[in-house]
C-alpha cells in the first residue's frame, strides 16, 4: 500500500513552485504567520503551530485582520507549541516598560479566545514534550532560560511521533535554519540532517 504524504512547510524562501506537491499531500503543517510565497507553497493547511509567547503573535493579535491570512482560514487545528507552564518557567518576560506598553510573555488565552471564536480547534503541546525536545537538542537545564526549540523543530518532531514511517512519507520545505537568536539553529539543522540520513524525512528539492 502506498504511503501517505505529510509536508511541513517552513517560512523560508522557496526556490521553485511546489504548490501542486503540497496541495496533493494528505497532511500539511505550517507555522506562526504562514508565508504562502505568492502561491508557490500551495494553500492546503491542516495544522498551524503557533508560538504564544512571540512578539509576532502579540502584533498579530492586535491586528483586526488577523484571521484574513489564507492559511489561517483554511486550517481547523492550531497547535500552541509552548505550554503556559513552559512559558512561565523558562521564557523571557517583558520588562516593566514593555508591560506598560501592553506586552505580555504569554498570549495563550488571547489566542484561544480569538481562534475559538473563529471555530478553530486549539491544542497545546504538553510540557513534557518540550522538555524531551530540549533533551534531544542537548539544551541542558541551566541553558533552558536562554535557548528554546523553535516551532519548526517542535513541528517536525511532532510529525515524526505521530506519523509512522511505514505509513507516511514526511517531507520538508522552506527551512533556512536562521532567525531568532535564542534558537539553536545549528543543532536543529544537524538533528534534521540525521533524520534525513536515516530516511525518516526528506527535503523537497
Amino acid at each position: 500500500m502506498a504511503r501517505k504524504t505529510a509536508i511541513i512547510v517552513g517560512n523560508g524562501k522557496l526556490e521553485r513552485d511546489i504548490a501542486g506537491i503540497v496541495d496533493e499531500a494528505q497532511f500539511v503543517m505550517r507555522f506562526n504567520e504562514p508565508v504562502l510565497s505568492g502561491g508557490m507553497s500551495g494553500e492546503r493547511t491542516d495544522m498551524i503551530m503557533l508560538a504564544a509567547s512571540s512578539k509576532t503573535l502579540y502584533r498579530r493579535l492586535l491586528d483586526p485582520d488577523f484571521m484574513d491570512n489564507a492559511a489561517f482560514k483554511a486550517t481547523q487545528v492550531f497547535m500552541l507549541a509552548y505550554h503556559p507552564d513552559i512559558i512561565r518557567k523558562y521564557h523571557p518576560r517583558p520588562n516593566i516598560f514593555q508591560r506598560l506598553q501592553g506586552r505580555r510573555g504569554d498570549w495563550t488565552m488571547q489566542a484561544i479566545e480569538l481562534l475559538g471564536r473563529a471555530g478553530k480547534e486549539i491544542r497545546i503541546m504538553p510540557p513534557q514534550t518540550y522538555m524531551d525536545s530540549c533533551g534531544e537538542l542537548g539544551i541542558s537545564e541551566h541553558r533552558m532560560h536562554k535557548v528554546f526549540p523553535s516551532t519548526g523543530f517542535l513541528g517536525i518532531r511532532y510529525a515524526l511521533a505521530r506519523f509512522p514511517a511505514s505509513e507516511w512519507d514526511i517531507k520538508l520545505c522552506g527551512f533556512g535554519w536562521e532567525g531568532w537568536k535564542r534558537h539553536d539553529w545549528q543543532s536543529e539543522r544537524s538533528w534534521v540532517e540525521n533524520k534525513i540520513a536515516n530516511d525518516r524525512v526528506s527535503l523537497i528539492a
Side-chain angles (χ1 to χ4, degrees):
M1 185 175 66
R3 292 191 299 170
K4 293 176 282 190
T5 300
I7 298 182
I8 305 176
V9 185
N11 288 328
K13 182 180 178 181
L14 298 178
E15 298 299 328
R16 66 183 181 93
D17 189 333
I18 59 170
I21 298 172
V22 173
D23 288 341
E24 289 177 1
Q26 284 71 49
F27 177 86
V28 177
M29 178 190 292
R30 302 180 193 264
F31 301 92
N32 295 311
E33 185 179 358
V35 177
L36 298 182
S37 303
M40 289 176 62
S41 70
E43 295 183 357
R44 176 163 185 155
T45 312
D46 296 282
M47 176 180 287
I48 292 178
M49 189 163 290
L50 289 175
S53 61
S54 73
K55 293 180 182 178
T56 300
L57 185 59
Y58 159 65
R59 290 193 297 267
R60 293 293 288 138
L61 286 171
L62 298 178
D63 183 351
D65 298 325
F66 177 72
M67 292 302 299
D68 286 346
N69 183 292
F72 275 30
K73 290 180 178 179
T75 192
Q76 285 300 307
V77 179
F78 285 80
M79 174 74 79
L80 302 184
Y82 306 124
H83 191 281
D85 288 349
I86 293 296
I87 296 173
R88 183 166 50 251
K89 187 172 181 179
Y90 296 111
H91 286 215
R93 298 180 181 180
N95 61 42
I96 187 171
F97 300 106
Q98 292 171 326
R99 291 198 298 272
L100 289 172
Q101 294 171 357
R103 269 286 307 281
R104 303 181 184 210
D106 182 0
W107 293 90
T108 299
M109 294 311 299
Q110 289 78 7
I112 288 173
E113 181 180 351
L114 184 61
L115 295 171
R117 285 204 306 266
K120 306 299 184 180
E121 178 182 338
I122 302 126
R123 304 176 187 173
I124 303 177
M125 193 165 283
Q128 190 57 50
T129 301
Y130 182 89
M131 302 298 289
D132 293 343
S133 298
C134 287
E136 285 203 35
L137 289 174
I139 302 173
S140 59
E141 178 75 21
H142 77 275
R143 295 178 63 220
M144 288 176 63
H145 294 278
K146 296 181 179 180
V147 182
F148 317 102
S150 70
T151 52
F153 173 82
L154 293 169
I156 296 169
R157 193 171 180 274
Y158 170 88
L160 287 170
R162 177 179 178 183
F163 301 132
S166 60
E167 300 176 18
W168 288 86
D169 182 14
I170 300 173
K171 297 181 179 294
L172 312 180
C173 61
F175 284 88
W177 313 114
E178 59 184 9
W180 192 37
K181 64 182 181 180
R182 290 185 181 271
H183 295 321
D184 188 344
W185 296 115
Q186 184 55 51
S187 293
E188 293 192 9
R189 183 171 191 161
S190 296
W191 183 88
V192 169
E193 288 173 346
N194 176 265
K195 300 302 180 186
I196 293 172
N198 287 281
D199 295 323
R200 285 296 285 119
V201 301
S202 62
L203 299 177
I204 299 176

